[in-house]
Amino acid sequence: MNSKFSRIVVLIVLAAMLVAGCAPQATEVPSTVFKVAIVMPSSITDMAFSQSMYEGLKKVQAEMGGESAMEIAYSENMFKVPDAAAAIRDYASKGYNLVIAHGSQYGTSLQQIAPDFPKTAFAWGTSLDTFQAEGINNVFAYQAEAQEGGYVLGVVAAMMSKSNIIGETGPVDAGDAKLYIEGFQKGVLATKPDAQVSVTYTGSFSDVSLMATAAETHIAAGADMLTGSSQSVVGAIGICKDKGAFWFGTQWDQTSLAPEAVIASQVYDWTGIIKDMIASVKAGVMGGKGYTLTFKNGGLVIAYNPAITVPAEVKAAADAAIAAINDGAIAP
Amino acid sequence: MAELFTLPVLVGILYSGIRLATPYLFAAIGETFAQRSGVLNLGVEGIMLMGAFSGFYVGMKTGSPWLGLLAAAVVGILMGLLMSFISITMQAEQGISGIGLHLFGLGLSSLLFKTTMGGVESIEGFKAVRIPLLADIPYVGESLFNHNLLVYAAFLLVPLSTWVLNKTTLGLKIRAVGQNPQAADTLGVNVTRVRYFCVCLGGMLAGIAGASLSIALINLFQENMTNGMGFIAVALVYFGGWRPLGVMGGALLFSFVNAFQLWIQVKGINIPSDFAIMMPYVLTILALAFATKRAQGPAALSKPYERGEN
């Protein structure tokens, strides 16, 4: 029994090491380097929420002068909140200057951890709550106004749809996905009031198979323009490609997955926010600011797929919508 | 509600349900073989991920989904060999070694994905093959007979494995080893060899289950893309009473209800999406709870066999 038990222990340890091996560990570096750590629910290659933030960090790192000026450590696939909380605490105790908890589900944990590390700045999103009301001063918060890009892409989808049936598929009816999906719906209906917009949720951020089936269902119901949110939409994009329907992406530019099917994507550019947070921390302000990504501050960008021709009047309508959102004439 | 019971909706449910059931069928029938021989393999999910990755990677590099399928099958067999070695030769606790195998497959497939590809890409996988005449049957023809080859293979596996388990000498040996390994051993059946064979066969089918996602149904690889399917497959074996036909019933029930709940949402039936999403799980549990005939599992399930004991 004893030897059997030790075999099992060895096996578990080996497996754990392998899994842990996937997350790059931080190495000790001189303290002049600005050290950023990020904990995220999916992977840096998810074509969505996590990738947008990771690529933003890389871009800022390159601008600041590479790894000698800024160090990035990351922990991905932290879909379990207790694991994420442990990682956040770990990074804070290792002396990271800024620890980003990239998921609204991490908020409660962050509220408990942040007061223990007053010399570390934390950030989390999507939310605008910096916990200042609770007396915590070292937390930043950020949120993408996903409904803005949703609205603009909805305008484009409505104008390009032939069947006037549009399908939207999200993970859960909450947060960033809800903002985006409702904004998109508003954009469609403002352009074509008689269009039919159907919405499905799969209940999961990672169920690629069910997301593909959701797209299949929308197309079978007559939709020719589809959109959706979360990292699992990669499954839906493939179905659009196979069935000849078109797709609109959000969070990250999803064109590369299906150049024949993706018309445009709303891309999150977090670099402005990241730079401001770093400048704040360097100036001694460790938190208390809530940031938003908008068209106005350059945090939201519509990336058209160059391989698909979008008529000039459609692009003009999209630009008009952006202008109207910027001056407040439209509130998606 | 009436708009849900229209022809296009029913045809759509049939088509999507059959596609959704495909990976479950491969994985759960493979697991049926392992369990009928007395080995509980909880690592199906990890093998599926390895199969999904290797099938996709080889398919992408060679441009041939057939070679991808072969790679997934071989990797599945290797993972099965590993599980066999740990649980049969080394006689480790099967439940725990299966969980270890899952973590191993999850970690290794993610690591390989990162080092070899680094980003999500899509490929041309197996194309739909329309079966002439059959696909021309009004209404249901297109839903049933216009799928890729792996979908047909998954469903053909049901009668094939039923036949192997019930009508062949091999099947008799498998059942004997799972029911009473001591007796089988005294009759000259090599218990270890039969169990190795079944676990490796289960591994191969789990590998193909993963590949059915990555090179036939969705045609891309993403980390952890099986999202718990392997564990549902293990549950389906119990649901189906360790019989391939029962496993298919469970897989289809779960998949059809899943396809149905998406149509409820698409048609804008006014119930919260959370309820719709719960439906397949609730109905499967209800079906399990009210199933009158209680199937008995293999008596030696999850018990390592050692000659001379008892």
Side-chain angles (χ1 to χ4, degrees):
Chain A
M1 188 60 215
N2 224 342
S3 71
K4 207 180 276 181
F5 180 73
S6 59
R7 270 185 226 131
I8 293 164
V9 169
V10 167
L11 186 82
I12 291 174
V13 167
L14 280 176
M17 271 163 53
L18 222 135
V19 173
C22 300
Q25 289 294 309
T27 46
E28 289 301 318
V29 280
S31 57
T32 52
V33 180
F34 193 89
K35 293 168 72 177
V36 181
I38 174 166
V39 174
M40 44 199 159
S42 50
S43 86
I44 59 167
T45 58
D46 70 351
M47 302 290 290
F49 189 60
S50 294
Q51 187 163 5
S52 71
M53 181 55 94
Y54 181 72
E55 301 284 345
L57 286 168
K58 296 287 276 188
K59 214 166 146 189
V60 172
Q61 182 187 45
E63 281 177 31
M64 283 174 67
E67 282 174 35
S68 56
M70 174 184 167
E71 184 204 313
I72 305 169
Y74 63 92
S75 297
E76 31 176 13
N77 295 323
M78 292 280 163
F79 31 81
K80 291 197 193 83
V81 174
D83 295 348
I88 294 166
R89 196 173 274 282
D90 194 40
Y91 283 126
S93 61
K94 275 184 184 155
Y96 279 81
N97 304 92
L98 173 64
V99 179
I100 303 173
H102 194 47
S104 45
Q105 64 269 47
Y106 304 148
T108 316
S109 308
L110 197 61
Q111 200 179 342
Q112 292 163 0
I113 298 168
D116 295 347
F117 300 94
K119 285 181 183 164
T120 306
F122 296 88
W124 77 297
T126 57
S127 169
L128 288 176
D129 187 359
T130 64
F131 307 127
Q132 260 189 331
E134 286 80 18
I136 299 170
N137 291 309
N138 58 336
V139 174
F140 296 105
Y142 54 85
Q143 174 173 304
E145 300 295 334
Q147 71 280 10
E148 292 192 359
Y151 186 94
V152 174
L153 293 178
V155 170
V156 176
M159 291 180 81
M160 293 188 73
S161 174
K162 293 194 173 73
S163 68
N164 288 345
I165 301 176
I166 282 147
E168 296 189 80
T169 183
V172 291
D173 192 6
D176 186 80
K178 186 185 173 76
L179 287 179
Y180 173 75
I181 280 175
E182 289 179 352
F184 193 97
Q185 194 165 7
K186 271 190 193 171
V188 171
L189 295 177
T191 313
K192 272 190 189 164
D194 57 338
Q196 181 194 324
V197 184
S198 302
V199 179
T200 54
Y201 289 99
T202 62
S204 162
F205 285 85
S206 49
D207 195 335
V208 187
S209 173
L210 198 59
M211 197 57 99
T213 309
E216 222 167 75
T217 309
H218 282 294
I219 294 169
D224 61 347
M225 299 284 151
L226 280 83
T227 191
S229 174
S230 89
Q231 66 267 29
S232 58
V233 296
V234 292
I237 298 172
I239 296 295
C240 287
K241 186 173 85 170
D242 286 350
K243 307 256 175 203
F246 291 97
W247 178 263
F248 293 87
T250 184
Q251 299 178 328
W252 191 245
D253 189 348
Q254 293 163 345
T255 296
S256 67
L257 269 178
E260 58 272 64
V262 180
I263 293 179
S265 305
Q266 161 174 246
V267 182
Y268 292 176
D269 181 355
W270 300 100
T271 51
I273 290 173
I274 297 166
K275 281 192 249 184
D276 195 84
M277 286 195 292
I278 292 175
S280 293
V281 173
K282 283 184 172 171
V285 181
M286 307 302 274
K289 289 188 197 173
Y291 297 96
T292 53
L293 283 190
T294 62
F295 280 119
K296 208 169 192 169
N297 65 23
L300 298 179
V301 182
I302 299 292
Y304 289 98
N305 171 7
I308 291 179
T309 315
V310 177
E313 73 264 25
V314 176
K315 276 194 178 165
D319 289 342
I322 294 174
I325 290 168
N326 284 348
D327 61 26
I330 295 174
Chain B
M1 249 348 229
E3 56 200 314
L4 270 179
F5 298 99
T6 59
L7 207 55
V9 173
L10 296 177
V11 166
I13 291 174
L14 195 59
Y15 176 80
S16 297
I18 282 172
R19 281 168 61 91
L20 273 176
T22 297
Y24 291 117
L25 272 180
F26 278 119
I29 288 178
E31 178 70 6
T32 301
F33 274 94
Q35 292 203 10
R36 284 301 279 269
S37 80
V39 181
L40 170 72
N41 181 1
L42 284 182
V44 179
E45 173 88 355
I47 305 179
M48 282 179 75
L49 281 168
M50 285 300 290
F53 173 77
S54 43
F56 180 86
Y57 186 70
V58 171
M60 181 181 70
K61 286 289 166 194
T62 62
S64 157
W66 286 104
L67 288 176
L69 183 66
L70 183 68
V74 170
V75 167
I77 292 172
L78 290 176
M79 294 286 283
L81 263 180
L82 180 64
M83 178 68 195
S84 305
F85 178 72
I86 295 165
S87 62
I88 302 168
T89 305
M90 305 298 276
Q91 303 189 357
E93 188 67 51
Q94 289 175 8
I96 295 173
S97 39
I99 298 293
L101 195 72
H102 163 226
L103 292 175
F104 176 71
L106 172 64
L108 189 59
S109 62
S110 297
L111 182 67
L112 289 172
F113 168 72
K114 281 226 176 64
T115 48
T116 55
M117 292 163 56
V120 182
E121 290 174 57
S122 61
I123 54 164
E124 298 290 326
F126 283 103
K127 293 261 168 256
V129 177
R130 196 173 183 278
I131 299 178
L133 297 177
L134 286 175
D136 297 328
I137 300 172
Y139 311 126
V140 295
E142 285 287 332
S143 298
L144 294 177
F145 300 107
N146 193 8
H147 290 284
N148 65 69
L149 286 174
L150 291 189
V151 174
Y152 301 128
F155 282 88
L156 287 177
L157 205 54
V158 177
L160 181 68
S161 53
T162 305
W163 176 74
V164 169
L165 279 172
N166 296 321
K167 302 280 180 206
T168 64
T169 323
L170 176 66
L172 185 65
K173 282 183 185 168
I174 293 171
R175 284 180 289 138
V177 162
Q179 209 56 249
N180 191 340
Q182 283 82 11
D185 197 8
T186 49
L187 291 172
V189 177
N190 188 331
V191 176
T192 304
R193 194 186 293 169
V194 170
R195 287 189 170 175
Y196 259 77
F197 171 79
C198 287
V199 175
C200 289
L201 178 67
M204 184 183 89
L205 291 175
I208 292 174
S212 74
L213 288 171
S214 68
I215 57 175
L217 294 168
I218 310 179
N219 299 329
L220 56 83
F221 181 83
Q222 192 179 45
E223 287 175 61
N224 196 22
M225 74 183 291
T226 51
N227 193 47
M229 282 182 170
F231 291 101
I232 292 177
V234 174
L236 284 173
V237 176
Y238 285 79
F239 184 97
W242 292 270
R243 290 172 299 120
L245 202 62
V247 166
M248 183 179 79
L252 282 176
L253 173 71
F254 184 75
S255 303
F256 281 142
V257 178
N258 233 333
F260 176 68
Q261 63 95 356
L262 286 170
W263 274 102
I264 290 182
Q265 296 189 54
V266 165
K267 286 289 174 188
I269 308 290
N270 204 7
I271 61 166
S273 61
D274 311 84
F275 282 110
I277 293 160
M278 276 193 299
M279 277 179 60
Y281 299 92
V282 172
L283 273 182
T284 309
I285 291 168
L286 283 180
L288 199 53
F290 289 108
T292 43
K293 216 173 97 194
R294 282 263 141 248
Q296 207 75 61
L301 182 59
S302 84
K303 292 188 188 110
Y305 174 66
E306 196 152 23
R307 234 182 205 180
E309 269 190 357
N310 305 335

